[in-house]
Amino acid sequence: MIIKREEDVTAAVVSAMADTPDARLRGITEALVRHLHAFAAEVRLTEDEWEMGLDALIRSGKACTDTHNEMILMSDVLGLSTLVCLMNNGAGGPTETAAALLGPFWRMHSPRMENGGSILRSQTPGPALFMRGQVVDTDGNPIPGVDVDIWQASPVGMYENQDPGQADMNLRGKFTTDAEGRFWLRSVKPAGYPVPTDGPAGDLLKAQKRHPYRPAHIHALLFKEGFKTLVTQVFVDDDENLETDVVFGVTEALVGDFRKHDDAPPEPEAGTPWYSLEHRFVMMKGEAKLPVPPIK
Ligand code: BEZ
Ligand code: FE
């Protein structure tokens, strides 16, 4: 069709895409065009602003490396990652808010560990944490043989891949649930940290006068054939940024029960105070599928 006025553009584009054989691709691209055009019309996007938007996308792409994923970060600070995560993980059901975004720091090949093992692989000062988890299905039955991949930042708020002072794979490990669906491990209490702010996502946060902090948390990725892979996080309940997580990952179900203890720790060298955490993870039936690792 030949365009006569501004209002014709959307219909022209949608009609040009109408023969897309893949119905899902056709639906997604049509909706994308309709919403994108409606957005531009609503804000009366100027040419300078359109150029700025494209430049932010170009810079985000160029900022991606093997160890940094600026595109995911941009999606995170816009709340898109959390929205997609919650929509796809039991919306309306018993696991509605059991999942949380993957984030940019999951590494696929963390070391396999025996239950009770420590995920400290180099000197990591900070209060000891003894974590015990149980994995159950939506009827409350324990699930044995689940691979539980754990990763977290150190008590100074750095992942090992960001911090030359930590050994490779420090604070990462993969455990397997026993016959009662339980796994347990030794770690240190994580600290909150700022997301990277040296790229376009950081520029946006600064322009919006938002702080860049995530409340302290432990990541977990739970995998077993027959169950939908659960990607989640458990948040430290005394963190001051629980209500203002820069990437909107906190749901009520994910605030952990971190308990401080001043008596003798389970392992004498752990020192006092030490912390314990008990958490229940609920998996629903579905497809077991690992995400694409954001970094190597
Ligand atoms: C994380 O929790 O590892 C994370 C999530 C989103 C952005 C940055 C970090
Ligand atoms: Fe994290």
Side-chain angles (χ1 to χ4, degrees):
M1 78 186 251
I2 293 188
I3 291 163
K4 297 196 196 66
R5 50 183 186 275
E6 176 191 314
E7 288 78 13
D8 296 341
V9 178
T10 307
V13 179
V14 168
S15 128
M17 304 188 311
D19 292 336
T20 307
D22 183 321
R24 178 69 179 155
L25 178 63
R26 186 171 66 247
I28 287 179
T29 46
E30 278 183 17
L32 176 69
V33 165
R34 279 191 281 102
H35 287 273
L36 204 54
H37 289 204
F39 147 75
E42 179 184 325
V43 301
R44 301 308 301 166
L45 197 67
T46 68
E47 286 159 311
D48 284 351
E49 289 161 346
W50 172 77
E51 270 176 19
M52 274 171 64
L54 292 187
D55 185 53
L57 287 176
I58 292 166
R59 285 186 298 117
S60 298
K62 285 187 177 167
C64 292
T65 66
D66 280 355
T67 54
H68 177 83
N69 195 320
E70 187 75 14
M71 292 302 286
I72 291 192
L73 191 57
M74 194 56 114
S75 160
D76 294 344
V77 302
L78 292 173
L80 181 62
S81 310
T82 289
L83 179 63
V84 172
C85 170
L86 295 187
M87 283 190 312
N88 285 280
N89 286 276
T95 60
E96 181 170 4
T97 52
L101 71 185
L102 179 70
F105 296 128
W106 177 60
R107 291 177 68 188
M108 191 177 242
H109 300 293
S110 61
R112 284 201 172 270
M113 313 261 322
E114 292 294 326
N115 274 315
S118 167
I119 57 174
L120 276 61
R121 300 175 202 287
S122 53
Q123 268 278 319
T124 313
L129 172 70
F130 294 88
M131 175 178 184
R132 302 183 71 84
Q134 188 182 27
V135 186
V136 297
D137 64 19
T138 48
D139 295 322
N141 302 310
I143 316 179
V146 179
D147 280 343
V148 184
D149 200 350
I150 296 285
W151 70 106
Q152 66 166 85
S154 71
V156 295
M158 301 269 269
Y159 287 84
E160 50 83 33
N161 56 296
Q162 300 175 297
D163 180 3
Q166 293 182 50
D168 187 38
M169 295 287 178
N170 193 39
L171 301 177
R172 296 177 189 267
K174 202 174 284 156
F175 298 80
T176 306
T177 57
D178 68 8
E180 293 177 334
R182 297 186 192 280
F183 68 95
W184 58 101
L185 61 107
R186 155 82 204 272
S187 185
V188 282
K189 190 179 181 227
Y193 57 84
V195 300
T197 52
D198 53 356
D203 294 344
L204 183 64
L205 293 176
K206 280 173 215 142
Q208 295 173 330
K209 298 240 176 294
R210 287 165 62 188
H211 75 67
Y213 286 91
R214 296 222 61 207
H217 56 275
I218 295 178
H219 293 265
L221 186 154
L222 291 83
F223 182 93
K224 180 171 174 161
E225 286 304 331
F227 291 88
K228 183 164 193 334
T229 302
L230 176 62
V231 178
T232 190
Q233 306 179 16
V234 184
F235 291 89
V236 176
D237 44 358
D238 65 3
D239 196 292
E240 61 184 355
N241 292 317
L242 271 186
E243 292 189 14
T244 59
D245 180 4
V246 65
V247 299
F248 311 97
V250 184
T251 65
E252 266 182 24
L254 300 183
V255 179
D257 184 14
F258 284 75
R259 296 203 181 167
K260 186 176 176 202
H261 304 269
D262 293 308
D263 56 352
E267 292 171 13
E269 43 64 58
T272 50
W274 58 279
Y275 287 80
S276 63
L277 166 65
E278 299 220 355
H279 196 80
R280 213 168 127 97
F281 297 84
V282 184
M283 293 181 83
M284 58 182 189
K285 293 262 160 50
E287 190 189 2
K289 199 172 143 200
L290 286 175
V292 176
I295 57 171
K296 301 237 165 79

